[in-house]
Amino acid sequence: MAAPTAAPGGSGSGPRDAQPHAMLLAAYASLAALLAAALGLELFSRRTPGPATNPAFARFQHRFLRAYLPALAADWLQGPYLYKLYHHYRFVEGQIAILYVCGFASAVLLGPPAALLVDRLGRRASCVLFSLSCAACCLTKLSRDYLVLAAGRVLGGLATALLFSAFEAWYVHEHVERHDFPAEWLAGTFARAAFWNNVLAVGAGVVATALAEWLGLGPVAPFMAAIPLLALAAVLVLKDWEENRGPPRALAKTCGDGLRCLLADGRVLLLGTVQALFESVVYIFIFLWTPVLDPHGPPLGIVFSSFMAASMLGSVLQRVAVSARYRLQPVHLLALAVLLAFLSLFMLTFSTGPGQESPAESFLAFLLLELACGLYFPSMGFLRRKVIPEKERAGVLHWFRVPLNLLACLGLLLLHGSDHRSGTRSIFALCAALMLLALLAVGRLFTVGRHDPELRLPPSQGPPESPEL
């Protein structure tokens, strides 16, 4: 199925902004300011020296990260220019929305089977399969055929499921079972991985801009640049890692146990409600930010890097806030994240009005939303670990993702069926309403868990020490 021969502009499809240099400068200035704030706060939070590092553990951690980080970098490279690539191929906004729906739907359908595949095929082999499926997804971007691109989105959904299950599962098994390191050290490795993941995300936007715009290679270039990184990750996994497998699990039993846990504990149900509402809005934002800002001329990769720097700042703020010095509770920070996201979406309902577009205000609102994401994800992760039993976690998280992806798909399908100029504003209004519901759910969680020690930081200690960079 070939691409159509014409396509209108994105939302705000009138003349390009009269002063595109203003958006250009805003993107670079925001990136510089947010990076300076995030790195400054990061250094402030690490003023006290961490514990001495075990040399054997340091070598093992390095062996994991040097294969994992190229995989993450390849994944981030595909973010800044995905929508732009489809638009470059002359697909209209509604068709692009369907391609995104294919990715979201494949994520929810392939998630549980992928988790079982990881245990049965082997974690190391599954990491290699991630590289192969992600590389195939990137290669489909060379085609202008709509069905090939849709198949690529499905491959991307499989790759995402493997990236966020196989690597972590391999590491946890090796850390605890093979090397017998203390379980408390796991948090240090994942904190270090999270820091470098943020750095890679910011860098990926700059590299994508250099390839697509500065060198003039076009929006497909970042996808091709991801393939050597995927090959490097696969080679290092095969060279340095040993295979391990998990115990066999039945898909029906995993999902059934997860559903029973979800329905039996009101705290779990409230967390699932907040996650579905908040993260479905984030998925819709991932689709909409490009058509909102691109007509006004900013470099998309630099805008993407600014978003990632804002998220990085939020995650550093969260870590400082829950430290022994300040002792703010994660549930309080979760409420703050949802409130900031609601304010951001409320701003967007005005800044994206047909004929009244304000790209600077929209850009600021997007940065605020990313800052909220930086606060949200570590806070939600802490609360999930506290209230969801380990043996039911995979099944519960699957049920969390079902309404999440359904809401995201519904939002994009509504956009597909509406006028693209008024539809964008309507979708942001709908997202603001969803975030208001999430705020009510957080308030209810606040009430339920007011005296619940499981929802609070341990009284005698803060979170684990941040590792050395």
Side-chain angles (χ1 to χ4, degrees), residues 125-151:
S126 297
C127 292
V128 175
L129 179 59
F130 156 77
S131 291
L132 294 174
S133 58
C134 194
C137 171
C138 291
L139 288 172
T140 63
K141 303 302 188 291
L142 294 171
S143 173
R144 293 174 179 261
D145 186 274
Y146 193 77
L147 293 179
V148 172
L149 293 171

Side-chain angles (χ1 to χ4, degrees), residues 20-67:
H21 294 296
M23 283 300 296
L24 183 74
L25 292 174
Y28 281 101
S30 298
L31 175 58
L34 289 165
L35 264 183
L39 293 177
L41 194 59
E42 184 74 37
L43 292 174
F44 169 79
S45 69
R46 295 171 187 272
R47 287 187 305 175
T48 55
T53 303
N54 179 296
F57 173 67
R59 288 192 298 270
F60 168 63
Q61 188 185 71
H62 176 72
R63 186 156 50 96
F64 167 68
L65 291 175
R66 73 175 182 175

Side-chain angles (χ1 to χ4, degrees), residues 58-319:
R59 288 192 298 270
F60 168 63
Q61 188 185 71
H62 176 72
R63 186 156 50 96
F64 167 68
L65 291 175
R66 73 175 182 175
Y68 184 42
L69 294 182
L72 291 173
D75 185 59
W76 283 121
L77 270 175
Q78 300 169 60
Y81 285 89
L82 180 60
Y83 186 103
K84 181 75 170 181
L85 177 69
Y86 294 147
H87 192 267
H88 176 72
Y89 286 163
R90 313 299 290 172
F91 292 108
V92 298
E93 190 174 67
Q95 291 173 305
I96 299 173
I98 296 299
L99 290 173
Y100 275 73
V101 167
C102 289
F104 297 152
S106 66
V108 70
L109 293 175
L110 297 177
L116 297 180
L117 178 67
V118 166
D119 290 334
R120 294 181 181 178
L121 182 64
R123 278 86 178 247
R124 186 182 76 154
S126 297
C127 292
V128 175
L129 179 59
F130 156 77
S131 291
L132 294 174
S133 58
C134 194
C137 171
C138 291
L139 288 172
T140 63
K141 303 302 188 291
L142 294 171
S143 173
R144 293 174 179 261
D145 186 274
Y146 193 77
L147 293 179
V148 172
L149 293 171
R153 291 293 292 166
V154 174
L155 284 170
L158 173 63
T160 298
L162 292 171
L163 175 62
F164 295 108
S165 59
F167 285 85
E168 181 176 330
W170 181 89
Y171 179 80
V172 171
H173 183 278
E174 294 291 307
H175 179 109
V176 175
E177 301 294 335
R178 192 184 302 274
H179 294 279
D180 197 28
F181 292 128
E184 294 78 13
W185 293 4
L186 285 168
T189 297
F190 291 126
R192 189 175 186 183
F195 172 81
W196 287 109
N197 183 44
N198 286 328
V199 173
L200 289 171
V202 174
V206 177
V207 171
T209 296
L211 293 170
E213 300 188 29
W214 299 345
L215 297 178
L217 299 177
V220 76
F223 296 92
M224 298 304 101
I227 295 177
L229 291 172
L230 293 166
L232 174 63
V235 168
L236 290 174
V237 165
L238 289 171
K239 174 178 174 291
D240 295 340
W241 294 12
E242 297 180 11
E243 185 61 275
N244 65 56
R245 290 178 172 82
R249 294 178 291 170
L251 179 60
K253 185 177 189 304
T254 298
C255 293
D257 290 346
L259 183 60
R260 281 190 288 273
C261 177
L262 179 65
L263 297 177
D265 190 334
R267 302 169 305 168
V268 177
L269 188 59
L270 286 168
L271 281 177
T273 301
V274 174
Q275 178 173 330
L277 294 169
F278 188 99
E279 296 182 27
S280 63
V281 169
V282 173
Y283 280 15
I284 294 171
F285 153 73
I286 289 171
F287 172 82
L288 283 176
W289 74 265
T290 302
V292 168
L293 296 179
D294 188 41
H296 305 283
L300 296 180
I302 301 301
V303 169
F304 181 86
S305 292
S306 299
F307 292 164
M308 295 302 101
S311 179
M312 181 180 181
L313 177 60
S315 65
V316 177
L317 283 170
Q318 193 273 350
R319 191 166 67 249

